[in-house]
């Protein structure tokens, strides 16, 4: 039970961070490293991996799409 709770907590934190990153990409032009730091990830590569897992897109693709609108 404890292990499952810990996993659920980790997933919730990831979800909140990625939602915030999406908002940041929509509101301004940021590098992946800047966005990663702003939502609490020290490693932009790890952030990119989690971002893609959660959204289905790499952060660079998503931020490009948002910037074009």
């Amino acid at each position: 039970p404890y292990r499952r709770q810990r996993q659920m907590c980790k997933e919730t934190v990831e979800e909140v961070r990625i939602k915030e990153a999406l908002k940041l990409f929509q509101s301004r032009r940021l590098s992946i490293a800047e966005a990663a730091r702003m939502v609490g990830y020290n490693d932009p590569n790890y952030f990119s991996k989690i971002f893609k897992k959660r959204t289905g897109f790499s952060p660079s693709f998503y931020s490009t799409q948002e910037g074009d609108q």
Side-chain angles (χ1 to χ4, degrees):
Y2 175 73
R3 178 179 259 172
R4 181 66 187 139
Q5 287 177 325
R6 203 170 68 202
Q7 182 64 28
M8 289 173 61
C9 182
K10 178 184 173 189
E11 290 172 1
T12 301
V13 169
E14 282 180 2
E15 184 177 339
V16 169
R17 287 176 167 180
I18 297 306
K19 284 182 179 179
E20 186 62 29
L22 288 169
K23 289 178 192 176
L24 289 169
F25 285 136
Q26 289 174 344
S27 66
R28 55 182 132 160
R29 292 295 254 184
L30 294 172
S31 71
I32 293 170
E34 289 171 320
R37 278 192 304 273
M38 291 176 82
V39 298
Y41 289 96
N42 294 324
D43 182 349
N45 294 320
Y46 183 69
F47 167 75
S48 294
K49 177 182 169 182
I50 299 301
F51 190 98
K52 186 167 186 173
K53 180 178 90 171
R54 292 277 175 187
T55 67
F57 297 98
S58 70
S60 58
F61 175 80
Y62 193 89
S63 63
T64 300
Q65 297 295 50
E66 289 301 316
D68 291 344
Q69 293 181 359

